[in-house]
Amino acid sequence: MNCEELRDWIPLYGGGELQPNERIAVESHIGSCASCAREVGDYRELRACLAPLRDGEGAPDLWEGIQQELFPNRTHPFERVWGLARYAAVWVAGVGIGFAFYTVARQAVLLKSSVSLESVRASDPVRQDPGQPKGRVVPAGEGPGEPYEVRPTWPPGFRPRGFVEGHHLPRVERLIGANEEVRF
Amino acid sequence: MHVSFLLSVLILQDRDVLLEMERKVQAILEKVRPSVVSITSRHEVKDKTARKGSLRLSGVIVSTDGLVVTEASGVEGADDVSVSLWDDRIVSGRDLVVDQPSGLAVLRIEADGLRPAELASEEGVRSGCFAFSIGNAFGLRGNVQMGLVSGLRRSIFVGGHVLDDMIQMTTPVNPGDAGAFVANSEGKLIGIVNSRYSVERSWVENLFGQDQAGFRGAMPESVSFATPAGAVEFLLRRMSPVRKVSRGRLGIGVRMVEGGMRGQLGLPVGVGAEVVSVEKNGPAARAGLVKHDILLKFDGEPVTDATGLRRKVTEFMEPRKVVLEVMRQRNIRSIEVIVEISNQ
């Protein structure tokens, strides 16, 4: 047996797992080779140190300590989730504020004009916007010359800009090209 | 050409020219304003609260016996219509006639001392002529705007209908101007304001309203359209006592043959209208006309303009047989068709 072959057998020798003739061969070599004898001795010492771990005993914070030494900047999983939750909360708050702002602005637009400035569908009757404040119908004889009209009653001091009461001007939906179909 | 540029040039050139122009415009307004009326059409709004709504627009007196012409969609389906004259008299409008093909409506009022508009001849209306609009924008009586005729015989799609032969103008029009008087430099009626075409509004205008958009410099550019006085004259002439408007019809749709196809078929320049649609059981279908036939002659005259052909057919007062010269698969044949009269 030479030194290279012995190294493969050291763990088996240290664990007592060799056959009798193999054990005799190993002991015969380490009796005459100082370096191999030293290696066997180191192996036995290491095995003695690891014995408690192998049996299931270990410090409770052993792995954390090792992990901290191996990966010093890594955060705890709980901290990661907390960070994501904060990020999501900011997004939800931002969307909520934006939606609230849009709703308020839209209400302001509905109050400003109760009917569209231009009629698009000619055959439809005038549509009253549901956002229009309640008004009173002025019967014939009242008002400056117009027999029937709805006058909205606005809150005190409030007068929306650009309010028009159904002044009519159709809007062209599409221009027709010079050589499109002519029907008659 | 923008009006302010014109005025700037005049001011730089000669102040007297500007004063003279001012006097002429004032004379036009003196002549025209008594013919312009304010119309309020009342519509029952069918919702839970049953509130009433009204539309305000303009109109023009066209006869001494009380005929008033206005834009059709503003009064169509109205429960009642009231007309306010230039001297603030208010009268009720009745016998409403709505003519969708021209976009006009006619109603009758009873009042004395009416001053009807003087209709201009169609030949005198050309691109570049002055076009003054006198109407009731936003309820402001007698509101005047100045512009130019920028195009003739335009076709537009508005309120679900196609309107042909419209006058295109640079004259600004606003809500309330529908049915307004469009005058030339002699104070004669060249058209009735019909509609406006503008580019899509900015999101600012949509969200905050038109006045806010103007403040932010986002006002859209627009082009306005008017129904020509010729259509007013046709309507008055063809309106029957039962409040129907009669028109000749063939029941087809045509389009002028384009250059490349004309060359392939060997057609003379400017002649030939391709049939693109044939109404089922209409006069043309019964006569045997089919899609892709090329109309070469109508009643002996070459077909050079689709809109002109339409005008000829609509002018028919009573049913009459006409001969069409038609090209079908490069073979020329004659087809007899009876022009029908429809009452709408």
Side-chain angles (χ1 to χ4, degrees), chain B residues 36-311:
Chain B
V36 180
V37 299
S38 170
I39 295 176
T40 303
S41 65
R42 188 175 68 86
H43 303 258
E44 283 287 339
V45 180
K46 299 185 176 47
D47 63 358
K48 291 177 189 173
T49 60
R51 286 176 290 182
K52 293 179 176 58
S54 61
L55 278 179
R56 298 183 194 183
L57 58 160
S58 311
V60 177
I61 301 170
V62 291
S63 73
T64 49
D65 57 353
L67 289 180
V68 173
V69 168
T70 184
E71 191 274 326
S73 64
V75 293
E76 188 181 15
D79 295 290
D80 69 65
V81 177
S82 70
V83 177
S84 174
L85 306 180
W86 77 96
D87 53 5
D88 293 329
R89 280 182 289 164
I90 297 175
V91 293
S92 192
R94 57 182 179 84
D95 298 339
L96 181 67
V97 176
V98 174
D99 184 46
Q100 284 295 354
S102 61
L104 294 174
V106 178
L107 49 100
R108 191 179 290 276
I109 59 175
E110 281 190 15
D112 49 10
L114 296 176
R115 288 172 60 173
E118 189 181 344
L119 270 63
S121 69
E122 232 172 321
E123 292 76 29
V125 180
R126 293 180 211 165
S127 288
C129 290
F130 278 111
F132 299 90
S133 142
I134 301 96
N136 303 304
F138 302 114
L140 302 168
R141 296 293 303 273
N143 187 62
V144 180
Q145 293 281 8
M146 182 173 158
L148 300 172
V149 172
S150 52
L152 297 171
R153 298 199 177 179
R154 300 297 197 211
S155 295
I156 56 176
F157 187 78
V158 56
H161 301 279
V162 173
L163 298 179
D164 294 314
D165 276 347
M166 304 297 282
I167 297 174
Q168 176 192 331
M169 316 182 291
T170 62
T171 314
V173 293
N174 290 293
D177 271 335
F181 193 127
V182 181
N184 62 5
S185 53
E186 295 174 333
K188 294 183 181 178
L189 180 75
I190 62 170
I192 300 287
V193 171
N194 176 270
S195 52
R196 177 173 74 182
Y197 177 77
S198 58
V199 297
E200 289 301 316
R201 294 170 176 173
S202 68
W203 69 269
V204 173
E205 190 181 32
N206 279 328
L207 190 59
F208 294 107
Q210 201 173 32
D211 55 342
Q212 285 292 318
F215 176 75
R216 286 167 171 72
M219 282 301 283
E221 295 298 321
S222 65
V223 167
S224 41
F225 293 92
T227 307
V232 175
E233 187 268 336
F234 178 90
L235 183 63
L236 297 176
R237 185 159 44 87
R238 300 295 288 258
M239 202 169 62
S240 69
V242 294
R243 295 193 281 156
K244 299 280 186 189
V245 181
S246 63
R247 277 186 174 83
R249 61 182 290 272
L250 281 179
I252 53 173
V254 301
R255 183 172 56 207
M256 293 307 292
V257 174
E258 290 174 345
M261 193 171 160
R262 181 178 290 115
Q264 287 178 15
L265 295 172
L267 296 174
V269 174
V271 173
E274 182 189 0
V275 176
V276 293
S277 65
V278 180
E279 189 184 303
K280 205 174 175 184
N281 298 324
R286 290 198 295 271
L289 272 171
V290 297
K291 269 179 76 171
H292 306 304
D293 280 349
I294 311 284
L295 302 183
L296 300 176
K297 285 186 181 175
F298 176 84
D299 213 17
E301 289 186 22
V303 175
T304 55
D305 174 27
T307 310
L309 178 61
R310 182 181 69 93
R311 196 180 291 192

